[in-house]
Amino acid sequence: MLVVLAIVLAALVLFATEAAPVDVTAIGIMVSLLLVEPVTEAAASVGLLAESFAVVSPGEGISGFSSVATVTVLAMFVLSAGVERTGIVETLGERVAAFTGDSERRQLGATIGIVGPISGFINNTAAVAILMPMVSDLAKKGGTSPSKLLLPLSYASMFGGTLTLIGTSTNILASDLWVTLGPTGAEQFSMFEFTKLGVIVALVGTAYLFTVGWWLTPERIKAEEDLTSDFELSEYLTEVVVREESPLVGQTVREALASMEEDVDVVQLIRDNRTFGEPLGQKVIRGGDVFVVRTDRESLIDVSEGEGLDLLPEIEVSDAELETTEQNQGLVEVVVAPRSSLIGETLATSRFRERYDATVLALRRGPELMRSRLDEVSLRVGDTLLVQATEDSLGRLNRNRDFIVAQRVERAQYRREKVPIAVGIVIAVVALAALDVMPIVVSALTGALAMVVTGCLKPSEFYDAVQWDVIFLLAGVIPLGIAMEETGTATLIADGVVASAELLPPIGVLGLFYVVTALLTNVVSNNASVVLMIPVAVEAATRIGADPFAFVLAVTFAASTAFMTPVGYQTNLFVYGPGGYRFSDYVRVGGPLQLLLAIVTTVGIWFFWL
């Protein structure tokens, strides 16, 4: 038990601090459990221990890779990608958005009304990634602050995830753990096992977002501002003209920038009444060239004096000017996705400009704006980049899983003719599992294969569709739940919880499990929370003579709804930058919602299952 408790404590610290990616931490957990036996054997052989011991067998240690939950989640990623490639979600969003106009309440209703139901049947993280550009455009066209819509988008996707078994990986994992760690004869959750409670949670949550939540959600980004104003670039963008005697004349733009010690970036070249954007690196500088540059005042003065540049007075660079180029460039916001290969890299080390022929003008990290020395900033999940790019470059960014482009971009590769097939496959998967014709893992795998066979997905896209960090996270943490159960660690913790709640009735203990799991999930991974809390919940319910299934549901719902921090759920991170939110905004808006749903969920479980 001491060994397992030490591993749990180390895992919580690593998950909370993100000192390593969560999937790497999960694999570290699995390896640590597997190493206990050989390490104790070595210690026993030299007399440090009386005997060796193991907390899990090798088969149990790697069982997460063959778990029903892991395989089902993998298949659901493929199903979600098949639906995404048809463009049906965007089409639905466009048609609904046509009726919203400039009414903020109708825009909010459309946001919640689309993402909620969709998140019940495709991965809710994917649903938010797909719909975020539509919601941002909806806010812009309707004159609404995107901050008023993006946080509700994230929260509503979590409501939707509670509607069905396949709404989120958390539900699928909880179902598998219930079979493994629950009482003898426990069966997998059915497709609509907890839908009635999920509907209540969604309705109450929606009512909150329309009333108290709407009032509490701040307008961090002002409505109808252009992007240069939104990122406060007026003091960082200006125009300079190259003197005829400038030492830069005859150099390429790349050579000139490399020779400067100051923080200067060239955004546009204006020559002979023609305007050029990226790629600019090979352009040879001439006397009389006008450059739009991004820099701070101090660097501008230094480079003007040393490089023979004259500042053009009273020039204010706007969106319209930046978008007027020979290559039809535009300004867009691009969000660094959770699985991005750019995490930890800088714009310089990732060669962003060269790879995408695009210029980053500013970076927003929550409420913080960065507009200088951008090449030196290590990128994080949720960072929002203000990018100037051509239509072709924008298309490449949009297709790259490293990014989420926060505006709608028409994708030529949408297979709209496959819409009926993709939708039919998802309906068949749900129906076959719901009617107990076959287990969910079998129907989901069959559906994933059907997506490829029917052409909804190309074979090469099958592997790209899977969020491998989530798969390895599941595979790594599942053995920890087994170890907690088999070593008695879960029993020990459960005894402590029950002892501390002696004055509470069973419904109070049930509510306590919801609150503890919710608080834990707002700090660490939702899947890790489920693995840590379900063994304890089963033991605690057994101790007080309550139905363990009800306690497992409380843990499942709490882990699926983490509203109080941007790191509590991936969808919260998606909207953190584009909404310009502060960490405190999640506490202010999500705290009351978390408390409200703690009461609603606890009472609902008590009413339906106890």
Side-chain angles (χ1 to χ4, degrees), residues 82 85 415 418 421-422 425 451-452 454-458 461:
R85 293 295 196 277
R415 299 159 194 143
K418 300 291 185 180
I421 299 174
I425 290 171
M451 285 290 185
V452 177
T454 59
C456 296
L457 275 181
K458 295 178 181 177
E461 294 171 336

Side-chain angles (χ1 to χ4, degrees), residues 35 59 61 72 121 166 173 211 253 303 350 446 465 493 528 541 543 565 580:
L35 284 176
T72 303
F121 296 96
I166 61 175
L173 177 58
T211 53
V253 172
V303 78
S350 65
T446 304
I493 298 174
R543 289 282 183 275
T565 67

Side-chain angles (χ1 to χ4, degrees), residues 28-46:
I29 292 170
M30 181 187 71
V31 172
S32 298
L33 293 171
L34 290 170
L35 284 176
V36 170
E37 185 172 18
V39 168
T40 56
E41 281 182 353
S45 67
V46 295

Side-chain angles (χ1 to χ4, degrees), residues 155-437:
Y155 288 173
S157 75
M158 293 186 228
F159 304 156
T162 65
L163 293 174
T164 70
L165 173 64
I166 61 175
T168 173
S169 61
T170 309
N171 300 343
I172 298 171
L173 177 58
S175 174
D176 189 48
L177 289 172
W178 169 242
V179 174
T180 305
L181 306 176
T184 304
E187 297 180 352
Q188 296 277 351
F189 297 169
S190 66
M191 180 63 67
F192 302 106
E193 185 87 52
F194 41 77
T195 299
K196 52 192 174 185
L197 180 58
V199 169
I200 294 173
V201 166
L203 291 175
V204 171
T206 299
Y208 173 87
L209 292 178
F210 265 97
T211 53
V212 177
W214 181 260
W215 177 66
L216 290 175
T217 304
E219 292 188 11
R220 294 298 179 198
I221 296 177
K222 299 302 180 183
E224 298 184 279
E225 281 194 346
D226 60 24
L227 289 171
T228 51
S229 298
D230 178 19
F231 281 80
E232 300 176 11
L233 280 169
S234 59
E235 295 184 6
Y236 291 84
L237 288 177
T238 191
E239 292 184 1
V240 295
V241 61
V242 181
R243 301 177 198 155
E244 295 293 339
E245 68 277 12
S246 169
L248 300 180
V249 173
Q251 297 184 42
T252 65
V253 172
R254 181 175 291 112
E255 291 169 344
L257 291 176
S259 66
M260 296 180 189
E261 295 182 0
E262 297 82 4
D263 175 39
V264 179
D265 197 6
V266 173
V267 178
Q268 278 184 348
L269 164 63
I270 303 171
R271 175 185 291 167
D272 300 330
N273 295 320
R274 299 174 66 189
T275 304
F276 302 92
E278 289 292 344
L280 290 172
Q282 297 302 317
K283 295 283 187 183
V284 178
I285 299 173
R286 304 175 187 172
D289 282 347
V290 175
F291 287 109
V292 177
V293 296
R294 178 198 55 76
T295 186
D296 57 71
R297 287 291 172 187
E298 183 178 343
S299 296
L300 180 61
I301 293 171
D302 291 343
V303 78
S304 297
E305 293 176 351
E307 306 294 350
L309 303 175
D310 289 328
L311 174 66
L312 294 180
E314 299 181 3
I315 292 293
E316 184 173 343
V317 181
S318 65
D319 283 21
E321 183 171 353
L322 291 175
E323 292 176 342
T324 304
T325 65
E326 294 283 313
Q327 303 97 325
N328 294 319
Q329 290 195 328
L331 291 179
V332 294
E333 291 177 286
V334 176
V335 182
V336 179
R339 298 166 304 282
S340 175
S341 62
L342 273 71
I343 296 172
E345 297 280 351
T346 66
L347 295 174
T349 59
S350 65
R351 298 180 58 82
F352 184 92
R353 182 192 293 266
E354 292 80 3
R355 289 168 65 182
Y356 298 104
D357 288 334
T359 304
V360 177
L361 304 180
L363 184 152
R364 180 164 53 216
R365 181 172 291 163
E368 182 183 4
L369 287 173
M370 305 178 196
R371 289 146 299 193
S372 60
R373 304 204 176 278
L374 298 178
D375 284 348
E376 302 172 5
V377 178
S378 294
L379 297 176
R380 301 180 187 172
V381 175
D383 282 351
T384 302
L385 311 176
L386 177 60
V387 174
Q388 182 188 35
T390 63
E391 291 183 6
D392 179 63
S393 296
L394 180 57
R396 283 189 285 138
L397 287 168
N398 193 51
R399 291 189 294 272
N400 194 316
R401 295 177 66 89
D402 285 340
F403 310 105
I404 301 170
V405 177
Q407 75 172 47
R408 277 186 297 169
V409 179
E410 180 61 29
R411 292 172 58 166
Q413 72 272 25
Y414 279 147
R415 299 159 194 143
R416 300 192 184 277
E417 72 282 358
K418 300 291 185 180
V419 167
I421 299 174
V423 173
I425 290 171
V426 173
I427 291 174
V429 167
V430 172
L432 290 171
L435 296 174
D436 288 330
V437 175

